Structure formats: structure tokens, C-alpha cells
Amino acid sequence: LYPLGQQWLPADAYRSAMVKQMSPRPLMTFDDEQTTWIRGSNNAKAASSARSESPGSKGTGQALALDIRDLSGWDTFEADFPSDQAIESNAWLTFRARGDARTHQLSIELREHDGSRWIAVVSLSDQWQDFALPPEAFKYWRDNSAPNRGGTADRVSLARAAAVCVGLAFTHTTGVGDGDHRIWIDDLGW
């Protein structure tokens, strides 16, 4: 539980309340098709895609739409993390997201310049939700070559992020079944 005012809140409720108090700075708005998303999947034959789609959330022009087909393990999309801003090392990652009726979770991964991988999972509904993830929401994923990372006091840093990866994976999004899924993401920021 986390303190907020006169009450104690579970992690998801605390993060939801915090994002309402923040003034997020945009990193990716998805209002253009210039971001290159590289797909990773155990099922390369499935016709999954990532593209900008109208409308976005809260009046934005477009959102990133993930159309995941025939999920049978993992299906994710990775893009270079914007590096044109001086991001604070303890900054929270903010974004909006929603899923279709079958898709109740989203995995979001940050890969740092040293290759370390950090993964968080959020619960989705079919309505747009605001998310704010502090560094401790991301768990170290040992499937990487970064030396001396992942200790008990180690945390991800947005300032060291090289790439962001979004999608579904049975290892992390355990509440999502196989088959087809749709996810929309908008206003990735800090």
C-alpha cells in the first residue's frame, strides 16, 4: 500500500491517482508514421502489425494500434526510445492505453543502453486509462547480456533507455489467452 493524502492505496490505484497529479512530457505521440516498430514473435507467420490509427485518446489525432494475430507465445513491437530530451533518472513512464474485449493486459519493456531489460505489466480495460509507472514497477528480466545488473537495489532509468517494447508475452501477460488481440497506446511520456 502507498500513502496518498489521508488514505493508503494499492499500487494500481496509487499510480492512477499520481498520473492525475502529474504533467507528463511527451516522448511519443503517434500522430505520424515516422516511428519504426520492429516486431519480435515466436510466430512470424502471423500477420500482426503496429501502426498509427485515428482517433487517439483525449482528442489526440492518432494512437499506436497493435493488431496481434494468433498469439501463441509472445508478439511484441520495439522502437528506439526518443533521446532528444534530458530525462530525469528517476522519472516515471506515463501513457494511455486500452485493449479490446479479449485483451486485459499489456507488457511494456524498457531496454537500457547496456542491454539490460526491464518489464512492467499493466491491466487494461476497453476504455482509455492513464498510466504512470515508477522505476520500481519495472522488473529486471535476466534474458540479456548486461553485466552486474538486476540486484535488489537496481532500477531501470528512463534516462538510460535505448528502446521501448510493447505487446503481449505469456511469460508476463499471464491473464491474456492465445488468439487475436488489439491494443491501443497513446501519449508515451514522462
Side-chain angles (χ1 to χ4, degrees):
L1 295 177
Y2 296 85
L4 185 66
Q6 300 296 321
Q7 56 186 336
W8 288 84
L9 301 174
D12 286 343
Y14 175 73
R15 292 177 193 146
S16 179
M18 287 300 295
V19 76
K20 291 175 181 141
Q21 296 180 15
M22 299 172 78
S23 297
R25 291 164 239 175
L27 290 168
M28 301 172 109
T29 62
F30 310 111
D31 283 335
D32 60 46
E33 294 281 348
Q34 294 180 3
T35 302
T36 300
W37 292 92
I38 299 170
R39 182 175 177 226
S41 178
N42 67 302
N43 183 3
K45 292 180 181 180
S48 298
S49 64
R51 66 185 180 288
S52 293
E53 182 176 288
S54 297
S57 69
K58 293 189 178 180
T60 65
Q62 295 183 314
L64 176 66
L66 303 182
D67 190 10
I68 296 175
R69 298 291 176 199
D70 196 22
L71 180 67
S72 62
W74 77 91
D75 213 331
T76 59
F77 295 86
E78 181 177 296
D80 290 339
F81 200 77
S83 59
D84 59 346
Q85 294 188 34
I87 301 173
E88 299 166 12
S89 63
N90 63 343
W92 290 33
L93 185 71
T94 61
F95 58 97
R96 293 186 192 102
R98 69 182 179 99
D100 65 11
R102 296 192 67 235
T103 311
H104 304 288
Q105 290 180 310
L106 165 67
S107 171
I108 186 160
E109 174 180 339
L110 296 174
R111 184 175 41 80
E112 292 188 357
H113 289 284
D114 67 0
S116 61
R117 297 174 63 192
W118 303 85
I119 302 173
V121 175
V122 296
S123 297
L124 300 177
S125 77
D126 62 355
Q127 302 296 311
W128 284 107
Q129 296 172 270
D130 293 315
F131 293 94
L133 300 178
E136 58 270 15
F138 291 84
K139 304 304 178 206
Y140 182 71
W141 184 244
R142 297 197 179 280
D143 183 16
N144 67 79
S145 60
N148 304 315
R149 295 302 305 269
T152 55
D154 199 6
R155 298 283 182 268
V156 69
S157 169
L158 289 184
R160 295 188 303 255
V164 59
C165 183
V166 292
L168 300 173
F170 288 163
T171 54
H172 294 85
T173 53
T174 57
V176 174
D178 59 359
D180 296 346
H181 298 275
R182 298 259 302 154
I183 299 168
W184 294 265
I185 303 166
D186 204 1
D187 287 342
L188 186 73
W190 64 284

